Amino acid sequence: MKKFLMTAVLGMFALAGFSQVKWDARLGVNFSNLTGDGDTKALTGFTLGVGMDYGFSENWSLQSGLMFTSKGFKVKDAFKARPIYLDIPILAAYKFNISDNTKFVINAGPYLAFGLGGKVKYDGGGDEKVFGDDGWKRFDLGIQYGIGLELSDRYLINLTGQNGFIDVADGGDAKNMSFAIGVGYRF
């Protein structure tokens, strides 16, 4: 897993030698929950990271990045789980002008996520690590989709959704799901 992460990071830096690559910093708030389990409630979290946009043409580009994302859920009168992931989206993006300095963006593609840490806090007191020995899976894979605006080729506004394909714990049928609103600045 560490080799794959290092390869992905080095691959993004290798693309930086091309003039079509643009880098940005992003910050946002997300709302996450689990699918397949009706007893859970959504929690508010954060997303923070760097992004890359490699333009193939005026309209098409490849977007990726490294995003630190807090996901999680709450089970009423039991506990709150807040895992922290490193998300790596690999998105195809289509852009078109809606005015002189504003582009509308539609993107979609897979994402990979690696669990970095987090805690489960029990309502009766006490807590434990999310990715300890209790069966939580560190790896997640799913689909990411979104819409956004690029203002003056510098400012970004995004609405993003993610649906995971992998159960978060052994023996369960619950997958990560989150929706985020974010802003960014392109360098």
Side-chain angles (χ1 to χ4, degrees):
M1 195 167 13
K2 290 179 184 178
K3 290 179 184 179
F4 174 78
L5 180 59
M6 191 57 120
T7 302
V9 170
L10 291 175
M12 287 193 320
F13 283 114
L15 286 175
F18 297 101
S19 62
Q20 298 96 330
V21 173
K22 299 174 184 172
W23 294 93
D24 56 72
R26 302 177 195 173
L27 173 68
V29 61
N30 69 10
F31 306 94
S32 60
N33 201 348
L34 296 179
T35 62
D37 190 348
D39 294 337
T40 62
K41 302 289 183 196
L43 288 180
T44 304
F46 68 88
T47 182
L48 168 72
V50 295
M52 179 212 67
D53 188 297
Y54 177 78
F56 291 107
S57 69
E58 186 175 318
N59 297 100
W60 287 98
S61 68
L62 173 72
Q63 296 178 335
S64 188
L66 296 173
M67 304 298 295
F68 293 97
T69 305
S70 127
K71 298 181 182 179
F73 60 94
K74 176 181 179 177
V75 176
K76 188 176 181 179
D77 298 329
F79 65 90
K80 291 181 186 177
R82 292 191 181 271
I84 307 287
Y85 289 92
L86 176 66
D87 288 349
I88 304 171
I90 304 166
L91 310 172
Y94 182 75
K95 305 174 185 184
F96 57 92
N97 291 330
I98 56 175
S99 73
D100 289 340
N101 293 324
T102 305
K103 290 182 181 179
F104 187 78
V105 181
I106 301 169
N107 59 28
Y111 76 89
L112 305 167
F114 302 95
L116 300 176
K119 290 193 175 194
V120 176
K121 292 190 178 191
Y122 295 97
D123 287 352
D127 57 21
E128 65 183 35
K129 293 181 180 180
V130 171
F131 300 109
D133 297 328
D134 60 353
W136 281 72
K137 296 180 183 174
R138 283 192 181 269
F139 180 73
D140 191 19
L141 169 71
I143 184 92
Q144 181 170 317
Y145 44 87
I147 59 171
L149 293 173
E150 292 182 1
L151 309 168
S152 302
D153 287 331
R154 292 280 180 220
Y155 304 101
L156 310 172
I157 301 170
N158 298 304
L159 295 172
T160 304
Q162 286 185 339
N163 288 86
F165 295 153
I166 297 175
D167 296 331
V168 296
D170 292 331
D173 188 28
K175 299 166 182 72
N176 283 318
M177 174 182 64
S178 68
F179 296 96
I181 183 167
V183 294
Y185 180 78
R186 181 164 289 149
F187 300 101

